[in-house]
Every structure is written in C-alpha cells, then in structure tokens.
C-alpha cells in the first residue's frame, strides 16, 4: 500500500479549460514548494507538454487502450510524487464504450482519485445545479470532492453560481476563475498550441500559476488530495539488467518534433540506450548514433525552417539510405517524405519516402487503431495485434505501387486505409503512434533491431 496525495481534474466536456487550470495549479503548487507531479489520461502529447513544463517533471500518460488495466496502478505508483495531479480528457464520464470502462470516472475509481470538476460556466447560472446533481447521482462510487467554477464573468455571476451550488449540491466550491485573455492557450488542429512554439511560455505558465493561486483554495485542494486512501499497488520495478548497453539513439526534439512519451524514452534508457537529442531546425549534421527515432509533431508549422536546413535533410537522407535504422511516427513520416504541402505552399523535406505529405482541413485519421505486423516487418516480437493511436490532418500521396508496408490495419486509417508503416532500407515510418507497454513492447523490438543492424555494419 502506498500513501501519497492525489487528485483528478475533470470536466463536463472538452474545451472547459481543464489544461489551463491544471497547468496553472501545477505551477502554483510548484511555486509554493510542493513536490508536484502530473499525469494525463489518454494518448495526447500536447497537454502533457504544458503540464510537464509547469511542474518541472515529466507528465505521464495513463491510457486504458495501450496499458493493461492491472498495470495502470503500479505504473502510477512508480511515477507518482508527493502530490499528483491527473488531468482527465473530455468529460468525466466520457469514454469509448457506453459502459464507460475506459472513462475518466473508471480511472478515478481505479486509482482512488478524488475528482475536482472544472465547470465552464459561460452562459450558465442556476443550471449548474442539475448538472452537479446528475454527475453525483450517475455513479455514486466516483468521489467528486470539489468544484472549480471556470470562465466566471464577474462577482454577480459568481454569486448566482455559488448560491445554486450551495442550495442544491453538497460539492464544495474550492475555486472560481474569472474569464481572462491572460488564460488563453491558442487552439488549432490537433488541440492546443504547444509550449515549444508559444512566445514567452515561461511567463505565461507563471501567470497561469499566479491566477490559480489567487482563484483556487490550494490548501483545501491539498486536503482533498491527502484524503485519498492509500493506493493498493506497489511501484513496478525492473529487475533484469539492461540488454543493449551503449546503444546510441538519436531523437529529433525541437519546435517541430515533440510527440514522445517520457516513459518510452525511459524504457530505452533502462535498456542501456543513450538518448542523443537532435534539433532538425538548427543542427547541421547527425551525431554519432546507432539508430534514429523521429516522433510526431508539427513539421508543417516549421516547414520553411526544416526546408532551409538542407544540410540536416541531406545528412538524414544519406544516413538512412546507407542503412541507419530509423523509426518515424506521423510528423516524423511527413519529414521523411519528398515534400510537405500546406496552406498552398510546398517545401522540400528529407526525400527518403517516395511520397508527398499533404495537409488537409479535416483529420485524415483520428482515434485508436489496431494492426498486425506483416511478414516484411524486420522488428522481432511484432507478430500480435498491436493497439495504438493516430491523429493527423496529413495524408501521403504518390507512393509507388510496390511500397512495402509492415502493418496491416485492422482498425483505423494508417497511410492508405489498409496499411501503415512503410519500410525503406532500415526505416519504418507510419502514421501510428506507439506506446511501449508490457503487451506492446515496441522499445525492445526497435532496440533489438538497431543492435542487429549495428552488428551487421561492424
Ligand atoms: N500526430 C502528428 O504527428 C501530427 C502531424 C501533423 N501535425 C498532422 O496534423 O498531420
């Protein structure tokens, strides 16, 4: 049994301001000297970037789709800090199936998380009461322990909301956050803008923190978090020695590429690999590496700078053509194509994948996917059905007929609706985002492949 303080920030629907409130709370607790850690439910990469910048520690995803349910609590216990904030996705009770087995509420029950609801009160006064009554009655096993009124218009609005809540509900109001342009994070395709591309991001996060410290009763929230019962799970511990000591894995990490799960990179390090960060916008050559990992992100937002860095594009193309093993996901796949087209502009990219990445106005693939590896897949242990996710506005056009794919889609879109993961030399590049877990061990699969290629080379 492990005792540590924890709570979930949930809402009634998407875009209620959860991430801004959570980021501000993480910043406020950190500024107050609390040992705060953050988690995000679901496969998202962007909200965790804000949360981890605010807390100064990695933000880990908790996801029913890619993690075995019985591994979630040990994983949480091994990453939790003295005070842990879990940010929900969408609404508290939303989930893929009608039973809500993968909902935020299910996660709150699994981890015994007291829930703090952030309610977007825009255009709402007395109507908040039936919403809360319903949320409370819908599942009495969910511990809704506090309420933060968000986007409150002014003192009169706040008074009406408080009166309605106090009259009809027993959920305590622990905060009231006024509508303010200072609390804006821009939204666009895929969700929020990333901190890496927001000007003055540190000042912005500090301002979120100051506003939350003034608007939310932090002590009350600490008490709610402390009242969580001890968690019936021991931290997961690794006992085997690292299998690939000294393997050097380059990871593209900059304003264009940033979609990485911190525990995937930690899993590489636990196997003895060394992560070598590479900036595709500014570095002009590749460091000494055995393998390359290019995650997703927003290459389309930086396509001019990526194009202008012709030396790096050339260095990556030559290295991959010479057989350097590489794994690229989504934005990484787009970078490896011949060109990216967006907003009427086309820019040259690496040119390893003989196709053109084209951005569209609507998502071309979104949600959970399932695939089976084809015989062509050079990674070992990839034979079973793999669950993962995709979210992209890009498609790949002009791929030749004889393209070799390593994934046959059973659910989801991938590259052509049926396949994902092109194989070119020792590079696998696809739209799917993988998350390493006990049942989807892509990290050992990739590292083993990198090690085999290295042995072949030397
Ligand atoms: N998931 C990603 O890496 C997204 C890539 C790109 N920004 C798109 O929307 O298509």
């Amino acid at each position: 049994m492990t005792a540590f303080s924890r709570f979930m920030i949930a809402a009634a629907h998407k875009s209620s301001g959860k991430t801004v409130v959570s980021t501000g709370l993480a910043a406020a607790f950190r500024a107050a000297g609390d040992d705060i850690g953050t988690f995000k439910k679901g496969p998202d990469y962007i909200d965790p970037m804000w949360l981890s910048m605010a807390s100064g520690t990695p933000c880990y995803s908790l996801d029913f789709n890619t993690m075995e349910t019985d591994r979630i609590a040990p994983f949480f216990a091994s990453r939790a800090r003295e005070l842990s904030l879990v940010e929900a996705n969408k609404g508290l009770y939303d989930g893929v199936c009608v039973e809500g087995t993968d909902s935020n509420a299910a996660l709150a029950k699994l981890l015994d998380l007291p829930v703090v609801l952030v309610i977007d009160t825009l255009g709402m006064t007395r109507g908040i009461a039936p919403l809360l009554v319903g949320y409370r009655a819908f599942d009495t096993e969910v511990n809704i322990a506090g309420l933060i009124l968000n986007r409150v218009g002014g003192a009169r609005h706040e008074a009406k909301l408080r009166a309605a809540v106090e009259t009809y509900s027993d959920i305590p109001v622990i905060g009231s956050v006024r509508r303010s342009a200072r609390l804006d994070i821009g939204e666009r395709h895929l969700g929020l803008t990333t901190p890496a591309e927001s000007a003055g991001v540190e000042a912005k996060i500090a301002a979120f923190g100051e506003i939350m410290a003034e608007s939310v009763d932090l002590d009350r929230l600490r008490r709610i978090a402390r009242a969580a019962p001890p968690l019936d799970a021991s931290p997961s511990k690794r006992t085997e020695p690292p299998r690939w000591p000294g393997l050097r894995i380059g990871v593209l990490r900059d304003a264009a590429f940033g979609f990485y799960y911190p525990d995937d990179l930690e899993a590489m390090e636990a196997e003895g690999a060394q992560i070598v960060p590479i900036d595709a916008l500014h570095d002009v050559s590749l460091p000494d590496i055995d393998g390359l990992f290019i995650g997703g992100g927003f290459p389309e937002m930086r396509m001019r700078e990526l194009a202008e860095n012709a030396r790096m594009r050339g260095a990556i193309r030559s290295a991959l053509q010479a057989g350097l093993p590489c794994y690229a996901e989504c934005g990484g796949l787009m970078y490896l194509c011949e060109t990216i087209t967006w907003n009427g502009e086309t820019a040259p990219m690496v040119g390893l994948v003989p196709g053109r990445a084209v951005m569209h106005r609507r998502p071309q693939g979104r949600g959970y996917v399932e695939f089976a590896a084809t015989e062509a897949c050079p990674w070992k242990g990839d034979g079973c059905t793999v669950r993962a996710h995709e979210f992209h506005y890009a498609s790949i056009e002009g791929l030749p007929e004889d393209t070799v794919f390593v994934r046959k889609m059973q659910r989801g879109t991938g590259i052509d609706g049926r396949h994902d993961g092109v194989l070119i030399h020792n590079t696998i590049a696809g739209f799917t985002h993988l998350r390493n877990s006990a049942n989807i061990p892509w990290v050992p699969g990739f590292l083993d492949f990198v090690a085999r290629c290295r042995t072949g080379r030397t």
Side-chain angles (χ1 to χ4, degrees), residues 230-292:
L231 189 66
D232 189 10
S234 335
S236 42
K237 274 204 196 84
R238 187 193 158 92
T239 43
E240 316 88 70
R243 283 178 280 183
W244 295 283
L247 215 55
R248 290 169 58 83
I249 305 295
V251 176
L252 257 57
R253 214 160 198 182
D254 46 47
F257 305 102
F259 290 3
Y260 299 103
Y261 293 119
D263 45 304
D264 281 10
L265 302 180
E266 286 167 13
M268 289 189 186
E269 287 172 334
E271 294 290 7
Q274 191 189 333
I275 305 292
V276 184
I278 297 167
D279 182 334
L281 303 167
H282 301 105
D283 294 351
V284 290
S285 62
L286 277 180
D288 173 25
I289 49 173
D290 303 302
L292 184 62

Side-chain angles (χ1 to χ4, degrees), residues 49-380:
M49 292 180 187
W50 286 96
L51 290 167
S52 73
M53 265 205 100
S55 68
T57 52
C59 172
Y60 296 97
S61 300
L62 301 170
D63 184 22
F64 284 108
N65 183 55
T66 47
M67 300 167 88
E68 295 279 301
T69 302
D70 60 3
R71 306 244 177 186
I72 294 179
F75 176 84
F76 179 70
S78 62
R79 297 322 200 265
R81 307 184 81 89
E82 256 169 61
L83 178 61
S84 294
L85 178 162
V86 178
E87 190 198 330
N89 63 351
K90 299 191 184 149
L92 174 61
Y93 291 111
D94 293 315
V96 172
C97 65
V98 73
E99 292 82 17
T101 46
D102 72 336
S103 64
N104 297 288
L107 184 66
K109 288 195 279 185
L110 181 72
L111 300 178
D112 270 321
L113 297 162
V115 175
V116 173
L117 274 181
V118 173
I119 297 296
D120 177 1
T121 65
L122 192 70
M124 178 191 271
T125 53
R126 186 170 175 268
I128 194 169
L131 189 140
L132 295 178
V133 170
Y135 265 62
R136 173 73 96 209
F138 186 71
D139 186 344
T140 50
E141 285 172 25
V142 178
N143 173 17
I144 303 178
L147 177 67
I148 296 177
L149 306 169
N150 198 25
R151 299 203 179 114
V152 175
R156 252 168 69 89
H157 188 201
E158 182 176 336
K160 283 185 181 175
L161 289 162
R162 281 185 185 272
V165 175
E166 277 157 26
T167 308
Y168 295 104
S169 154
D170 59 352
I171 304 173
V173 178
I174 65 161
S176 171
V177 183
R178 293 283 161 94
R179 225 171 290 157
S180 159
R182 289 175 69 210
L183 289 174
D184 281 348
I185 302 182
E187 286 198 42
R188 53 127 197 262
H189 63 288
L190 304 187
L192 300 175
T193 50
T194 66
E197 39 180 343
S198 310
V201 68
E202 266 149 37
K204 196 166 196 147
I205 289 176
F208 291 177
E210 282 159 26
I211 294 173
M212 288 312 141
E214 286 160 14
S215 319
V216 178
D217 184 343
L218 296 184
D219 260 339
R220 185 99 188 246
L221 186 47
R222 282 190 194 95
R223 286 203 298 281
I224 287 173
R226 238 180 272 136
L231 189 66
D232 189 10
S234 335
S236 42
K237 274 204 196 84
R238 187 193 158 92
T239 43
E240 316 88 70
R243 283 178 280 183
W244 295 283
L247 215 55
R248 290 169 58 83
I249 305 295
V251 176
L252 257 57
R253 214 160 198 182
D254 46 47
F257 305 102
F259 290 3
Y260 299 103
Y261 293 119
D263 45 304
D264 281 10
L265 302 180
E266 286 167 13
M268 289 189 186
E269 287 172 334
E271 294 290 7
Q274 191 189 333
I275 305 292
V276 184
I278 297 167
D279 182 334
L281 303 167
H282 301 105
D283 294 351
V284 290
S285 62
L286 277 180
D288 173 25
I289 49 173
D290 303 302
L292 184 62
F293 176 25
I294 315 178
F298 292 94
E300 69 279 10
M301 303 294 300
R302 300 283 170 163
M303 58 192 238
R304 279 195 201 157
E305 287 148 278
L306 290 169
E308 275 160 21
N309 194 355
R311 287 179 65 188
M312 181 52 101
R313 289 190 288 117
I316 292 180
R317 183 173 53 247
S318 314
L320 301 193
Q321 279 171 345
L324 182 77
C326 170
Y327 175 51
E329 292 183 342
C330 205
L333 160 68
M334 294 165 68
Y335 182 52
L336 294 184
C337 284
E338 287 164 354
T339 50
I340 292 181
T341 300
W342 190 44
N343 274 344
E345 258 185 69
T346 296
M349 292 291 128
V350 169
L352 178 87
V353 175
R356 302 176 299 275
V358 179
M359 287 291 291
H360 301 264
R361 286 186 188 282
R362 296 186 174 280
Q364 302 298 298
R366 173 176 201 167
Y368 289 128
V369 307
E370 280 179 22
F371 67 82
T374 66
E375 303 231 308
C377 184
W379 297 6
K380 280 187 197 151

